[in-house]
Amino acid sequence: MPEDKKKTPLVRWQTPMRRVLIALVPALLAAIYFFGWRCLIMLIVVNVFAFLSEYAFCKYYKEPVTSAVFVTGTLFTLILPPNLPYWMAVAGIVFGVVFGKMVFGGFGKNVFNPALVGRAFIYVNFSTPMTAGWFMPNYGKWAGIIKYSTDAVSGATPMQVMKAGKSMGLFDLFIGNTSGCMGETCALALILGGVYLLWTKTANYRLIAGTLIGFVVLQGILWLSGVNGACDPLRGAISGGFMLGAIYMVTDPVSACKTNPGRWIYGTMIGALTVVIRMFSVWAEGMMFAILLGNMFAPITDYAVNAIKRKRKGG
């Protein structure tokens, strides 16, 4: 078939995006186990509308949809409460893909992480479903495997509990036996996926290490200083959205810094900002806003790093 008559593929699959999706499988399985099969249905619904949102633009430009949109849809799903109405999730992912990615020109040109743009949109517009009425996980041998969803309501997430000065068990936090967003609760599943990303060199270790350093150092200082509501760094790191954000969103190759020194600065800034937002704002969780702020400063950080390099060479 002549080159000019070849059909444009519907989806362009990228190896790094495939690996991220594979790495997210343990978190998805944990979500289903603890919160029921509704999590899988939500994942399918969100990814369908994520695809359609990008396809609407790509069809006009006669370009294929990139597989990155499925990473966006999957991450967006995992940072939602398990009981969120489907239509709110659809509104969020459409906004995230369109205004967080496509208006900038599509894949590789967006400044902000699209999944977090979508979550911020529904977080502001539908604050009650996003912050209240958290559902406890299913219990028992089969837990959520034999259930559509969970119906045991809890008044607070681990982050809200610890911010109030109470403690949470490390084991429950580690395996995910707590209330929270469907893909954030099981630190074990997230770490397993993170090991795979580092092993395959899909994620840059500097971004993850910098985020951990910024978080642990500042959280440790506040904890040792006896600041009210400051938990120890280990509990803080495996609670809320920190692990998911540090491993899968800070490492987004598009919205993160591209220079190695910039990556250390970027990661450290996000880790420290997460602590500041958690401790001194009205929000118990700070990872989302910390990453979006980091996205905003990533280009100028790389610019400054490259300018310093040029100056040193010139000198």
Side-chain angles (χ1 to χ4, degrees), residues 8-312:
T8 302
L10 192 61
V11 178
R12 185 173 76 245
W13 287 95
Q14 302 139 307
T15 298
M17 298 301 119
R18 288 179 186 267
R19 291 173 179 168
V20 175
L21 289 172
I22 292 171
L24 287 169
V25 169
L28 175 61
L29 294 177
I32 294 171
Y33 179 80
F34 287 114
F35 299 110
W37 288 97
R38 189 180 193 275
C39 298
L40 180 60
I41 298 174
M42 179 73 82
L43 178 76
I44 295 171
V45 170
V46 165
N47 273 291
V48 166
F49 279 90
F51 171 82
L52 292 175
S53 299
E54 184 164 325
Y55 178 73
F57 285 82
C58 291
K59 184 178 181 181
Y60 177 79
Y61 293 112
K62 297 181 180 180
E63 296 178 353
V65 174
T66 63
S67 56
V69 76
F70 299 119
V71 173
T72 296
T74 302
L75 286 172
F76 176 79
T77 302
L78 294 177
I79 55 178
L80 296 177
N83 54 308
L84 190 76
Y86 291 114
W87 69 269
M88 289 186 187
V90 169
I93 193 60
V94 171
F95 186 92
V97 172
V98 174
F99 294 99
K101 179 180 179 180
M102 300 313 296
V103 296
F104 290 97
F107 177 75
K109 300 176 182 178
N110 51 289
V111 176
F112 299 98
N113 184 296
L116 291 177
V117 171
R119 191 182 194 277
F121 174 74
I122 58 175
Y123 189 89
V124 171
N125 289 281
F126 311 111
S127 58
T128 299
M130 290 294 293
T131 59
W134 291 95
F135 281 30
M136 286 296 292
N138 290 296
Y139 296 102
K141 181 180 179 180
W142 298 103
I145 295 177
I146 57 174
K147 293 185 178 181
Y148 167 70
S149 63
T150 179
D151 54 8
V153 179
S154 169
T157 64
M159 286 309 309
Q160 293 167 329
V161 171
M162 289 189 286
K163 192 170 183 179
K166 301 177 182 179
S167 182
M168 291 287 297
L170 280 173
F171 181 74
D172 285 338
L173 291 172
F174 187 66
I175 66 169
N177 195 21
T178 62
S179 59
C181 293
M182 63 181 82
E184 294 179 348
T185 61
C186 185
L188 173 60
L190 296 170
I191 292 171
L192 288 175
V195 170
Y196 171 76
L197 291 180
L198 290 173
W199 177 63
T200 57
K201 297 183 180 180
T202 304
N204 191 289
Y205 76 89
R206 298 173 184 85
L207 293 166
I208 299 175
T211 306
L212 287 171
I213 291 170
F215 180 88
V216 170
V217 170
L218 185 53
Q219 185 72 30
I221 291 172
L222 296 178
W223 176 56
L224 293 173
S225 301
V227 175
N228 185 38
C231 64
D232 63 273
L234 178 57
R235 280 183 173 81
I238 61 176
S239 301
F242 181 78
M243 295 301 297
L244 180 59
I247 297 172
Y248 300 93
M249 294 187 172
V250 174
T251 56
D252 175 17
V254 176
S255 57
C257 284
K258 310 299 188 295
T259 61
N260 286 335
R263 286 167 175 151
W264 285 109
I265 296 169
Y266 176 81
T268 303
M269 177 177 63
I270 290 175
L273 278 173
T274 301
V275 176
V276 172
I277 296 170
R278 282 183 174 185
M279 292 302 305
F280 304 109
S281 74
V282 297
W283 299 293
E285 179 57 75
M287 197 61 177
M288 175 179 70
F289 293 114
I291 295 175
L292 289 173
L293 286 170
N295 292 164
M296 185 169 61
F297 285 99
I300 196 171
T301 301
D302 277 340
Y303 178 84
V305 168
N306 288 325
I308 292 172
K309 286 182 179 179
R310 288 194 297 268
K311 186 175 181 181
R312 287 178 177 175

